[in-house]
Amino acid sequence: MLTEALQRLADGRGGVIGVEPGLVIEPDETWTPVRELLREPYTLLDGLIDETAGRWNAPRHVGAALFWKTFGYWHTLPMALGWALDGRVPIMRPGDTYFKPSDAGVTIAATRVRWDSGAGAIGEALAESQEPLVKAISARAKVGERTLWGSTAEAFAHPLTAIVPGDYMKLLEEIGRPVDGLVEPTDDGYFRRTCCLWITLPDVDPCGSCCVLRPRHRPQATASSSGLSSSA
């Protein structure tokens, strides 16, 4: 069911999708093991951060945040959709996962996929596959981990509002930290509680989910704060 949904998504986007619809590949020389991103002295990871920053004429920490927004989205999307469709969650272990540059930014796939179920399995996958990258990117580019995890949280919310309906707030709550509490629902969508930093680029419009667009909730006035008293 999931692979069919991914293929429909790819067809609807003219083939521009950041995950192989079939999930599993036999990698050729165009694919790079994801573990290479964590190989010291982090030459590959630094290069991708710098390339992203250069593409948008952005400071390095902004380039790092935007690189992760893309990479984290496509790594998270299959787990979000699988959970919503039939509860079967594809787990791409770090040693089995590959990526390559593409028109979607990156495309991700694996040499094998383990199928699991439930938010607990997703949380374990985030800890194993995403947390080391989040920590490395944060340290290399001086961008906050909470900012980066906000993009992962949105990578659950977006597909479950735009592709397959699903209770993303329930899922995020069940996963727990570090993604719970980083998005909030609205009548027709959601807002982030952290910024992906796109808005810091010159002459761009904010994302529809941008935290700068969130309505500011003012505390309800009390008798004393409004200048009224019980004897008035």
Side-chain angles (χ1 to χ4, degrees), residues 81-209:
L81 293 183
W83 178 86
L85 285 167
D86 60 5
R88 299 179 70 236
V89 176
I91 306 298
M92 298 182 183
R93 302 290 303 276
D96 303 325
T97 307
Y98 287 71
F99 78 98
K100 65 179 179 180
S102 71
D103 290 341
V106 295
T107 294
I108 296 172
T111 53
R112 59 179 177 175
V113 171
R114 176 174 62 85
W115 294 91
D116 211 320
S117 62
I122 295 176
E124 291 173 2
L126 296 182
E128 182 180 40
S129 297
Q130 293 196 15
E131 185 174 359
L133 281 168
V134 165
K135 288 185 176 299
I137 292 170
S138 176
R140 304 296 297 174
K142 303 298 186 289
V143 59
E145 290 185 22
R146 191 169 184 269
T147 292
L148 302 177
W149 283 120
S151 290
T152 296
E154 183 173 22
F156 288 105
H158 178 266
L160 299 189
T161 54
I163 302 174
V164 173
D167 190 346
Y168 62 89
M169 291 298 291
K170 175 185 176 182
L171 176 56
L172 291 171
E173 181 179 1
E174 290 180 354
I175 294 172
R177 298 181 65 181
V179 293
D180 185 28
L182 298 185
V183 297
E184 63 180 56
T186 63
D187 292 339
D188 56 355
Y190 62 89
F191 286 117
R192 291 178 58 134
R193 287 179 171 167
T194 66
C195 185
C196 73
L197 303 185
W198 169 261
I199 191 61
T200 65
L201 299 178
D203 302 319
V204 300
D205 294 323
C207 308
S209 61

Side-chain angles (χ1 to χ4, degrees), residues 66-79:
L66 296 179
F67 166 74
W68 178 251
K69 184 177 183 179
T70 299
F71 188 99
Y73 180 84
W74 293 117
H75 183 266
T76 303
L77 175 110
M79 294 188 287

Side-chain angles (χ1 to χ4, degrees), residues 3 6-7 17-25 31 78 92 100 107-110:
T3 55
L6 291 173
Q7 187 60 60
I17 184 174
V19 61
E20 282 289 320
L23 300 178
V24 177
I25 58 162
W31 293 91
M92 298 182 183
K100 65 179 179 180
T107 294
I108 296 172

